[in-house]
Amino acid sequence: TAGWRLPYISSDGQVIEFEGQLRTDIYSVDDVQLDGGRNFNGTTGRMIPQVSASWRYPLVKQFSDSNLLIEPVAVLTLSPNGGNPEKIPNEDSLVPEFNDTNLFSSNRYAGYDRVESGPRLGYGMRGQYQFWTATYIDWLFGQNFRTDNQGDFPFSNDLYSHFSDYVGKIGWHADMLDLAYRFRMDKDSFSPKRQEIDASFNLSPLTLTAAYLSLQNDPILDSREEISGNATLNLTKTWSVNLNGRRDLQNDQLTSVGTGLAYKNECTSIATMIGREYTRDRDIKPSTTFLFLVGLKNLE
């Protein structure tokens, strides 16, 4: 990928950024099934030019013991349609997800095998209220529009819609407690299609996290409801132990549980983990996994 970026800040505080890039992918593939039952073996690729312009206007109000930030945001991205030829297999972007974290991204696929294409516009409002302490509240609300209604990326249950569902987040952040509520609401009825609650408690040396997820007719994952949790105990400055689990509330069953021991210093991280998956689906049976991971930070 080769690109060029030009940031600009106006005299009244508007932040504008122009960006252009040319991305080239080359694949060597075997046994890729094409339409008509044919298989493709060989080398293929794609070249994707893209230009984008982002605009945001941070508005700040100072109070005697706090401050308020309100920031409208818009990102316009232009690229040719048809960026995913059938000769390129999809192995790393099987579960695309539209949420508050990628609302303003030019490409929302997590992997490399799929790319967004066509003209599209993300727009919304975000803000933050900072108290006199380290406590603050932040929020975001927005939507996406695309001219190509044949896009592969699922913005809503209507895969052929020009407009996406609404996504957003409301968060509370303090010294010992972090809370976040994330949502995706139907673009027509405003009914919740995805709801997620995350909580983190820092009770040093113990950290507890919990998450709740509810999906209603998700275009990729269908409907599900689950809760998960993790507990990490810092034994020393470098050693820690953790315990985690996940439960399917829809089917009232435990789906996974695991524990691990980790070591981390300024240069190296080492972790051992053992876990049990209870998922059973056709030829997938419950299994136990053991992992030994080594990370060298100076090579990242």
Side-chain angles (χ1 to χ4, degrees), residues 269-283:
S269 64
I270 302 173
T272 60
M273 293 177 287
I274 184 170
R276 177 71 175 173
E277 293 283 344
Y278 296 95
T279 302
R280 186 185 297 271
D281 183 10
R282 294 184 290 274
D283 59 338

Side-chain angles (χ1 to χ4, degrees), residues 1 6 11 36 41 53 58 62 73 76 98 104 123-124 127-128 153 193 205 215 222 231 281:
T1 301
L6 176 64
S11 58
N41 300 282
Q62 297 282 351
V73 183
L76 174 65
F98 178 54
F104 303 118
Y123 48 90
Q128 177 177 302
F153 193 91
K193 294 299 183 182
L215 299 177
D222 199 17
D281 183 10

Side-chain angles (χ1 to χ4, degrees), residues 7 12 16 69 122 125 128 140-141 164 198 208 221 232 267 279:
D12 60 348
I16 303 171
L69 166 68
M125 183 80 69
Q128 177 177 302
L140 180 146
F141 185 81
S164 75
D198 300 303
L208 302 174
L221 300 174
T232 301
C267 302
T279 302

Side-chain angles (χ1 to χ4, degrees), residues 167-243:
V167 293
K169 171 207 172 183
I170 302 173
W172 168 278
H173 309 275
D175 288 335
M176 297 178 59
L177 173 64
D178 280 349
L179 288 172
Y181 170 64
R182 294 180 169 86
F183 58 87
R184 179 168 64 86
M185 299 189 305
D186 187 271
K187 57 184 175 56
D188 299 316
S189 65
F190 287 93
S191 61
K193 294 299 183 182
R194 179 187 181 98
Q195 298 185 84
E196 186 175 356
I197 301 174
D198 300 303
S200 177
F201 305 88
N202 184 8
L203 308 171
S204 184
L206 179 65
T207 301
L208 302 174
T209 61
Y212 168 80
L213 174 65
S214 174
L215 299 177
Q216 297 294 327
N217 298 320
D218 185 85
I220 301 296
L221 300 174
D222 199 17
S223 297
R224 65 172 57 186
E225 185 179 16
E226 63 183 28
I227 188 171
S228 61
N230 183 85
T232 301
L233 177 63
N234 294 320
L235 304 174
T236 66
K237 291 184 177 180
T238 55
W239 287 95
S240 64
V241 61
N242 74 82
L243 177 67

Side-chain angles (χ1 to χ4, degrees), residues 118-131:
R120 50 205 183 272
L121 173 67
Y123 48 90
M125 183 80 69
R126 60 189 176 195
Q128 177 177 302
Y129 189 87
Q130 177 78 50
F131 295 93

Side-chain angles (χ1 to χ4, degrees), residues 135-157:
T135 302
Y136 66 94
I137 301 171
D138 61 351
W139 61 87
L140 180 146
F141 185 81
Q143 190 182 36
N144 191 88
F145 171 81
R146 61 186 174 196
T147 61
D148 177 18
N149 65 346
Q150 304 294 320
D152 296 328
F153 193 91
F155 287 123
S156 70
N157 288 45

